[in-house]
Amino acid sequence: MDEDGMDRVFAQLTEDSAELYLYALRTHGIDEASAARDLGMTPMAVRAAIEPLLGLRLLRRSDTSGDLHPVRPDIAAAELAAPLEERIRAQTQRLGQLRDQVLSLLPAYEEHRSEQVESWPVDRFRDAKDVRSLLRVMAAECREEVVTVQPGGARDPQVLMDALPRDIAMLDRGVRMRVLHQHTARGDMGTRAYVSKLVERGAEVRTTAQIAERLIVFDGGTAFLPDRDSASKSPGATVVRDPVVVKYLLRLFEQTWQEAVIFDVSNVGYQDTVKDLRLSILRLMARGLSDESVARRMGMALRTCRRHIAAITQELGAVSRFQAGVLAQQRGFLGAVGDPMSAAAVPESPTGT
């Protein structure tokens, strides 16, 4: 019986079929006329109830008399599952053979790649599908640490759903995971739920006001950088294995990581990051960037960004964005990032967003 046939049989297993099976247990067999009389069913209903019981091997017809007798459910289940289990075994064996054939070329590939890395330790992948496949391979092979930098605010729910099993598998193997988001990610429920599941398994997640670009580094030796020259909608990636370059990227990560704020998933909203976020907006305003450019840098919606800008401008007593930047500079609000004196002067949103 194929899987579709099995589904049809299960769909037909009605209360009449179950009652008829119990009747067969009491009477040690089924005579259709007697069953119809004793159960108050029509002969047609009895026959309809018998069919799924035969399909599920719960009734067996005698080879000699043709009478129907009940079968133990565990024996029926074993008979029913045997063909499917055999197909599964055959498919598993075939899959193993295919994997062995493909993997037989792995030593040659690794030898070639090690020679190539020494001469040109950069790979460029223009197809996003190839990038996702390589990320899965690297995640499966990762043994010590993965660091991830994610710019922008809310992340694509489908991307999070695809990444979650891979990330959890790494954490369950004891891999240290550090993830850096922008502050605006704190306001997205999907991202918060994803971060919560990672933190439960030991991941460290922090946020900062601005992030220039996405970065993933596996085991301190392989870095993924986005390749946005690709003509496709989804960017490809440049994979760097040069130890000098990778170490440099990790030093930049560490510097930002130390100044970032722990992502506390138990609190809703931007929590204690509003002043830092507002200060970053103010600095971008002072540089003369447009509202659209500021919003893009901050990883937030344009409407939200304009609410922050309006609040900052009003607090400073300015009549324009340009004047707000000048006043902020004159009052010393644009000091170094993390300077508590400058950050304390930046107004918070009355709604905390």
Side-chain angles (χ1 to χ4, degrees):
M1 180 185 303
D2 59 24
E3 293 184 43
D4 291 338
M6 186 180 297
D7 289 339
R8 287 194 295 272
V9 168
F10 274 110
Q12 296 169 3
L13 187 57
T14 62
E15 293 183 5
D16 286 348
S17 297
E19 186 176 2
L20 190 61
Y21 179 76
L22 296 177
Y23 175 81
L25 293 178
R26 293 194 299 269
T27 60
H28 306 291
I30 294 180
D31 174 76
E32 293 185 20
S34 299
R37 182 185 66 252
D38 294 343
L39 297 176
M41 300 168 62
T42 65
M44 182 178 297
V46 171
R47 287 193 292 273
I50 286 174
E51 287 304 315
L53 294 176
L54 289 172
L56 288 172
R57 312 294 196 268
L58 288 167
L59 286 181
R60 182 177 297 154
R61 196 177 296 277
S62 172
D63 293 335
T64 55
S65 65
D67 295 338
L68 294 170
H69 299 283
V71 178
R72 282 174 56 108
D74 54 346
I75 295 176
E79 292 182 358
L80 191 66
L84 181 59
E85 290 174 344
E86 181 57 36
R87 286 198 295 273
I88 291 174
R89 281 194 294 271
Q91 291 293 336
T92 301
Q93 182 178 7
R94 176 59 178 158
L95 178 61
Q97 292 171 347
L98 290 173
R99 285 178 58 86
D100 290 344
Q101 291 178 25
V102 174
L103 292 176
S104 66
L105 297 175
L106 183 59
Y109 174 85
E110 290 180 338
E111 181 180 357
H112 172 74
R113 288 301 305 136
S114 82
E115 294 174 355
Q116 191 176 39
V117 164
E118 291 178 1
S119 59
W120 187 248
V122 175
D123 272 332
R124 192 174 185 183
F125 297 86
R126 296 183 180 274
D127 192 325
K129 292 182 179 179
D130 291 340
V131 176
R132 289 193 291 269
S133 296
L134 184 57
L135 282 172
R136 284 194 293 269
V137 171
M138 294 301 301
E141 295 177 351
C142 186
R143 290 295 177 266
E144 296 180 5
E145 182 183 42
V146 57
V147 300
T148 304
V149 179
Q150 293 289 353
R155 297 182 62 193
D156 186 334
Q158 186 59 51
V159 171
L160 295 179
M161 187 179 301
D162 293 342
L164 187 60
R166 181 186 68 208
D167 293 344
I168 288 178
M170 283 192 286
L171 290 166
D172 288 347
R173 290 200 308 272
V175 173
R176 184 188 183 191
M177 180 178 294
R178 290 189 288 168
V179 184
L180 189 62
H181 287 281
Q182 284 188 241
H183 290 327
T184 45
R186 294 171 179 262
D188 178 62
M189 295 306 296
T191 304
R192 291 180 62 83
Y194 163 78
V195 169
S196 178
K197 290 182 174 62
L198 296 188
V199 171
E200 286 176 1
R201 283 178 160 79
E204 302 169 64
V205 184
R206 299 183 182 183
T207 64
T208 189
Q210 295 184 64
I211 292 176
E213 192 52 274
R214 178 171 284 106
L215 170 69
I216 305 175
V217 182
F218 291 97
D219 284 337
T222 303
F224 282 72
L225 299 170
D227 178 5
R228 301 196 182 279
D229 291 337
S230 173
S232 63
K233 184 176 180 181
S234 299
T238 296
V239 181
V240 181
R241 299 182 180 86
D242 184 279
V244 174
V245 176
V246 175
K247 287 179 181 178
Y248 173 76
L249 293 171
L250 286 174
R251 284 197 297 272
L252 293 179
F253 170 83
E254 291 291 351
Q255 181 177 348
T256 307
W257 179 260
Q258 294 303 321
E259 298 175 350
V261 182
I262 295 175
F263 194 155
D264 183 358
V265 293
S266 64
N267 293 325
V268 179
Y270 290 155
Q271 302 154 35
D272 297 328
T273 65
V274 177
K275 290 182 179 180
D276 190 21
L277 184 147
R278 286 281 180 87
L279 184 59
S280 293
I281 292 176
L282 188 54
R283 287 195 175 103
L284 295 174
M285 289 170 57
R287 291 168 53 188
L289 272 64
S290 66
D291 292 358
E292 291 79 4
S293 296
V294 174
R296 186 166 54 252
R297 296 281 189 95
M298 299 303 300
M300 63 174 58
L302 178 59
R303 181 178 299 178
T304 303
C305 181
R306 283 176 171 163
R307 286 204 303 268
H308 286 292
I309 291 174
I312 293 170
T313 303
Q314 181 179 7
E315 181 71 17
L316 290 171
V319 295
S320 69
R321 296 172 77 261
F322 176 76
Q323 186 184 19
V326 172
L327 291 174
Q329 185 68 52
Q330 291 175 348
R331 298 176 190 178
F333 294 169
L334 303 182
V337 175
D339 180 354
M341 294 303 294
S342 59
V346 181
E348 293 191 35
S349 167
T351 60
T353 60

